Amino acid sequence: MTDTTMQTPVPDTNNQTPLVEMADIGKMYGAIRALEGINLRVNAGEVACVLGDNGAGKSTLIKIISGLHTHTEGTMKIDGEETHFSSPREALDRGIATVYQDLAVVALMEVWRNFFLGSELKKSRLPLASLDIPRMRQIADAELKKMGIHVKDINQPIGTLSGGQRQCVAIARAVYFGARVLILDEPTAALGVKQSGVVLKYTAAARDAGLGVVFITHNPHHAYLVGDHFIILKLGRRVLDKKRSEVTLEELTTEMAGGQELEELSHELQR
């Protein structure tokens, strides 16, 4: 996973309406400004990477797109229609799914149970109908294999899977339940190199399946492996906004590390 020259497909986004478009988005919490003047376009078949350290505003941005919080400035459009989500359910209904860093899984439950958690299939529409367990097992196994995800046993507790495998199950679940925009919150933050590579592989697979992906991370190396567009946030403001063809990994890393601030510090230390 050291080949940072890996190229991603360049989608033709000139003539398509963005799945999500944010213009001059701002968010105030009382007197505290969390975001200011944020612009973001998420197109189908594209990975938009949002980078920044802790406190940069990444979490606030996720909450606005996923319907947890409402923006206080600017406009957000979904499929070209100006939108204010009042709940995560509204975002889900519009095809926006979020996979958080602390995955919402039940470790002792089977893989297939977690795949359908909260959306279980029943044998009929009667209120007390029993769960259609064979069908859920079959669907979960087929959907995971469709994305190239192979687990030893669909009946094993999901807690026995690696962190990377659990992330991939969550991605496959979102795709199956109709997500068109997939928000990944620091998916590789707590993973080793090999597991991170697995997650990046299926992030690219989601993009290649036509989803718009918002990849939230503080790791420029991981972002550059899969990203088509890069935005860096610092203290709630955008300090970089470039397409892949406009920025190198070195430039991305330097800006994430502090850019001009590091140069000024280096100069002061040499005095």
Side-chain angles (χ1 to χ4, degrees):
M1 186 59 64
T2 57
D3 180 13
T4 55
T5 63
M6 169 181 167
Q7 296 295 312
T8 60
V10 179
D12 180 9
T13 59
N14 293 328
N15 299 316
Q16 64 174 284
T17 300
L19 299 176
V20 177
E21 184 173 14
M22 308 179 85
D24 296 323
I25 288 292
K27 178 63 179 178
M28 297 287 293
Y29 294 101
I32 300 174
R33 179 176 291 279
L35 289 177
E36 179 179 5
I38 303 301
N39 297 313
L40 174 68
R41 289 168 59 99
V42 182
N43 295 300
E46 180 178 281
V47 177
C49 296
V50 180
L51 301 97
D53 286 327
N54 293 336
K58 305 190 304 295
S59 295
T60 301
L61 188 66
I62 292 174
K63 290 172 182 176
I64 292 173
I65 302 175
S66 62
L68 278 168
H69 291 176
T70 301
H71 53 283
T72 51
E73 299 170 354
T75 59
M76 180 171 71
K77 295 180 180 180
I78 306 299
D79 298 317
E81 177 186 348
E82 187 170 346
T83 304
H84 282 77
F85 291 134
S86 59
S87 70
R89 172 51 60 185
E90 288 187 10
L92 280 170
D93 290 343
R94 297 293 295 272
I96 299 173
T98 305
V99 178
Y100 289 100
Q101 184 177 352
D102 50 343
L103 293 173
V105 298
V106 181
L108 296 179
M109 282 188 177
E110 301 93 331
V111 173
W112 66 266
R113 286 293 298 271
N114 276 278
F115 190 92
F116 281 96
L117 193 63
S119 302
E120 290 81 1
L121 302 180
K122 295 185 177 182
K123 293 183 177 180
S124 74
R125 295 184 179 181
L126 296 175
L128 299 179
S130 58
L131 297 179
D132 194 343
I133 294 176
R135 187 175 173 219
M136 286 191 284
R137 285 173 174 162
Q138 185 273 325
I139 290 174
D141 190 44
E143 290 300 317
L144 291 175
K145 288 178 178 176
K146 187 184 296 183
M147 288 194 68
I149 303 169
H150 297 275
V151 297
K152 291 181 180 179
D153 186 352
I154 202 71
N155 295 306
Q156 70 187 96
I158 199 168
T160 62
L161 302 182
S162 68
Q165 288 175 314
R166 291 196 296 272
Q167 288 278 358
C168 294
V169 170
I171 292 172
R173 180 185 191 278
V175 172
Y176 173 73
F177 282 103
R180 296 184 305 123
V181 176
L182 183 63
I183 305 172
L184 302 177
D185 175 26
E186 296 279 6
T188 62
L191 304 181
V193 174
K194 185 175 181 179
Q195 292 185 34
S196 293
V198 171
V199 173
L200 294 173
K201 174 182 176 181
Y202 294 112
T203 299
R207 175 200 63 209
D208 295 343
L211 276 70
V213 181
V214 181
F215 190 88
I216 309 291
T217 184
H218 64 271
N219 190 317
H221 294 271
H222 290 173
Y224 204 74
L225 282 168
V226 296
D228 300 293
H229 196 113
F230 306 94
I231 290 176
I232 295 180
L233 301 182
K234 185 177 295 184
L235 299 177
R237 293 178 175 84
R238 185 182 42 153
V239 295
L240 180 142
D241 183 352
K242 292 185 177 181
K243 295 180 180 179
R244 184 184 184 87
S245 60
E246 300 171 336
V247 65
T248 65
L249 174 59
E250 183 179 1
E251 291 169 338
L252 203 63
T253 303
T254 299
E255 192 61 53
M256 270 293 296
Q260 183 64 31
E261 295 174 5
L262 277 182
E263 291 184 14
E264 292 175 358
L265 177 59
S266 176
H267 178 72
E268 288 296 323
L269 290 174
Q270 293 173 8
R271 293 178 63 178

